[in-house]
Amino acid sequence: ADATQWQVVVTTSDDPSTATPLLVNSTAATVSGLTPNTQYNVFVRSNCGEYGYSDWASTQVVLPPEPQALPYYEDFEAGVPNGWNLSNATNGWYVGTAASNGGSRSLYVSNDGGQSNVYDNQITSYSYAYFTISLEQESSVGISYDWRCDGESTYDYSRVFFVPASLRPSFVAGYSNSISHSGAPSGWIMADEGRLNKSSSWNTMTKGVVLDEGLYYVVICWLNDYSAGDNPPTAIDNIRIDVSSCVFDGTIDISDVGKTSAVASWSESGN
């Protein structure tokens, strides 16, 4: 508790002796030159003076992948896109030819490595497909994608979200993130209208949101329990993201409401 100097090591290795420690005189350090889409182990130990150094304490951090250029379009015809991560449980995400809505490929859930768009409804699974986008200012963001999924009522379905990277979310296979069939986990922004399921034909979801400046994950989730459910599970195709910096940031008031008319007035922040 009396230490005034520390050693810090940031490395992909489990052994802190594989890297040269950074010597710091405060309880925070910025480490640069790291690689995107990489998990690092962070080690810290105290300089105890004449008693040498303490044992290492450690934690982990996963850096997000390089953001995709905007506007963005993906039809999966070239396979798994660069900058995407697929974090898979038994029923996981694959790109293949078992489903598509135009072209020959799409992203879909499979229990056999992508050979078929079929899931095992007797094994609970939480799987994630995700990438990142970066916004230089507050922006109006429009996302659209084609989807199909039968699944099971409020138990087997997909969800799509924008998630601020500042939340340091975990997309480890098998981790639920407290995702539900409606609403969103704290800080997550819905890119759907609730659960995607109970339609074995293709549909198009279109959603517009206003997002602050920053780095965001775009995450497509698959969740199923262990009781029942109907194939096929989710397939996703033709993802499009468009961005505009023209954002209405204000309030609208309605007054003088009559039988056949009303007055709408509005003000924008700063005006």
Side-chain angles (χ1 to χ4, degrees):
D2 296 327
T4 58
Q5 193 175 71
W6 296 264
Q7 285 187 334
V8 179
V9 169
V10 179
T11 177
T12 57
S13 170
D14 293 331
D15 181 0
S17 67
T18 60
T20 302
L22 177 67
L23 194 63
V24 297
N25 298 313
S26 65
T27 56
T30 299
V31 181
S32 58
L34 303 179
T35 303
N37 205 25
T38 303
Q39 177 175 293
Y40 286 93
N41 296 306
V42 181
F43 298 91
V44 178
R45 67 178 179 178
S46 301
N47 183 344
C48 301
E50 61 181 303
Y51 299 105
Y53 287 94
S54 70
D55 292 335
W56 290 104
S58 66
T59 188
Q60 292 181 329
V61 61
V62 179
L63 299 189
E66 287 277 8
Q68 303 288 342
L70 296 172
Y72 180 68
Y73 177 74
E74 182 55 61
D75 61 8
F76 304 102
E77 292 304 300
V80 178
N82 291 333
W84 280 62
N85 285 304
L86 308 179
S87 180
N88 286 338
T90 298
N91 302 309
W93 292 105
Y94 297 87
V95 172
T97 58
S100 66
N101 192 33
S104 60
R105 295 174 180 268
S106 72
L107 173 74
Y108 51 82
V109 173
S110 174
N111 68 352
D112 59 10
Q115 296 301 306
S116 61
N117 181 206
V118 172
Y119 78 111
D120 185 340
N121 61 21
Q122 300 300 304
I123 299 177
T124 299
S125 292
Y126 299 93
S127 297
Y128 302 94
Y130 59 95
F131 59 96
T132 62
I133 61 172
S134 181
L135 302 177
E136 300 303 316
Q137 58 187 318
E138 182 186 49
S139 300
S140 176
V141 179
I143 183 171
S144 68
Y145 48 89
D146 299 335
W147 69 274
R148 76 173 192 190
C149 174
D150 202 343
E152 181 195 10
S153 62
T154 59
Y155 301 102
D156 303 354
Y157 54 86
S158 278
R159 297 296 312 277
V160 183
F161 299 97
F162 295 103
V163 184
S166 59
L167 297 179
R168 292 184 59 190
S170 174
F171 302 128
V172 174
Y175 181 56
S176 74
N177 276 300
S178 299
I179 296 168
S180 68
H181 64 89
S182 62
S186 179
W188 295 30
I189 300 98
M190 293 170 53
D192 55 26
E193 297 295 343
R195 68 183 189 270
L196 303 174
N197 70 352
K198 302 318 300 175
S199 177
S200 56
S201 59
W202 286 96
N203 306 267
T204 299
M205 171 61 66
T206 300
K207 180 80 171 183
V209 297
V210 175
L211 300 179
D212 292 333
E213 172 189 352
L215 184 67
Y216 290 84
Y217 290 96
V218 181
V219 57
I220 307 169
C221 317
W222 166 258
L223 306 83
N224 72 271
D225 68 357
Y226 54 87
S227 59
D230 299 313
N231 283 302
T234 305
I236 299 284
D237 208 354
N238 304 315
I239 299 173
R240 183 181 301 276
I241 300 176
D242 294 298
V243 175
S244 171
S245 60
C246 182
V247 175
F248 177 83
D249 185 13
T251 57
I252 303 174
D253 294 312
I254 303 296
S255 61
D256 296 335
V257 179
K259 292 179 65 175
T260 60
S261 66
V263 174
S265 60
W266 53 92
S267 61
E268 292 205 56
S269 298
N271 293 337

